[in-house]
Amino acid sequence: MKKKVLFIAAILTAGLSFGQDGMTSKKGTPILPEAGDYAIGFDATILLNYGGNFLNGSVENGLSSLNLMQNNTLYGKMFVDANKAYRGMVNIGLGSNTVTTLETDANDAAKMVENEAKSGNFNVAVGGGIEMRRGAGRLQGVYGPMAMISFGSSSTENTYGNQATSILRETATSSGSTIGLSLGGFAGIEYFFAPKMSLGAEVQWGINVSSTGAGETTSELFDGTNTTTTTAETGSSSAFGIGTTPNSMISLNFHF
């Protein structure tokens, strides 16, 4: 956390070093957004981690440490006027994981065989809202209503090195698809450290509803003669919450 704060301070200091007075740069470029402007932004957490490690002299820092497959939320805005904008966001997440374990070969105690579990997940979220802002200087307060809908699913496949036994074991599981809806609002700040470039931080609260459909579990066992495979349906679930877990966001934004 300390490294992130230092990196943010470095960005803000760099913005002040331009020596700009008023709301335009020395070249006359407006610093704040205007009617008709568009903006794009993304989650700045990965860059803050990278910059914080750089300032701290971390040896575990490089392009690979950015991990661009995470925190991949993209934001967009269309300004109606200097104090109002329509905003949207999209997040698409794909993930996979493979875990390999070893166990003794059932036919030869001197050997080992591999068991492998492969899991994957898919998530997509789309949202939108109306942004209002207050403030006459570089530091702007932002707030407004927003809504978001999300969809997600996950599955796991297991392969075994030993033949099935009389003990039931799972070979595959798939969760039911989850659909979520969030209605609420957001509030935060945005600081323009350079013309049309800003660093923002905000918190979101809302009414959150989600529903997960029934999934499936496939299992197998050996009855002494044959291996039998069975598939069973798992139960569904639903959830409801009102602002119990606020979401926070730090973003880097570019206005055009």
Side-chain angles (χ1 to χ4, degrees), residues 5 28 30 34 44 48 71 112 146 178-179 196 200 206 212 224 236 250 252:
V5 172
E34 302 173 300
L48 293 178
N71 303 310
M112 303 294 287
M146 67 173 295
T178 298
I179 298 177
K196 305 291 187 175
T212 302
S236 58
I250 298 178
L252 185 60

Side-chain angles (χ1 to χ4, degrees), residues 52-207:
N53 288 336
F54 179 79
L55 292 175
N56 194 52
S58 173
V59 295
E60 297 181 358
N61 206 29
L63 292 179
S64 60
S65 70
L66 290 179
N67 200 359
L68 297 177
M69 293 305 292
Q70 296 182 357
N71 303 310
N72 55 347
T73 303
L74 181 66
Y75 309 92
K77 301 179 186 180
M78 181 183 72
F79 283 84
V80 178
D81 56 46
N83 297 312
K84 181 180 179 181
Y86 296 111
R87 55 189 277 170
M89 59 79 69
V90 61
N91 181 298
I92 299 176
L94 296 170
S96 63
N97 186 49
T98 300
V99 177
T100 301
T101 58
L102 299 175
E103 69 176 7
T104 303
D105 190 327
N107 299 314
D108 187 348
K111 296 181 180 180
M112 303 294 287
V113 295
E114 289 187 351
N115 299 325
E116 188 176 77
K118 294 182 178 180
S119 60
N121 62 79
F122 169 76
N123 298 281
V124 59
V126 179
I130 301 174
E131 176 183 291
M132 279 78 76
R133 58 178 56 227
R134 295 180 62 86
R138 290 174 179 267
L139 184 62
Q140 303 271 299
V142 296
Y143 62 95
M146 67 173 295
M148 183 174 68
I149 186 169
S150 60
F151 172 84
S153 63
S154 63
S155 62
T156 301
E157 292 185 0
N158 300 309
T159 56
Y160 302 93
N162 286 317
Q163 184 181 10
T165 66
S166 58
I167 300 176
L168 193 68
R169 66 185 184 186
E170 294 182 354
T171 56
T173 60
S174 61
S175 67
S177 298
T178 298
I179 298 177
L181 177 65
S182 177
L183 298 172
F186 63 91
I189 58 172
E190 190 172 356
Y191 182 81
F192 288 81
F193 59 88
K196 305 291 187 175
M197 297 176 62
S198 66
L199 191 65
E202 64 183 48
V203 179
Q204 305 164 358
W205 280 274
I207 300 174

Side-chain angles (χ1 to χ4, degrees), residues 223-241:
D223 62 8
T225 304
N226 300 305
T227 299
T228 303
T229 301
T230 59
T231 299
E233 188 176 274
T234 59
S236 58
S237 63
S238 61
F240 174 82

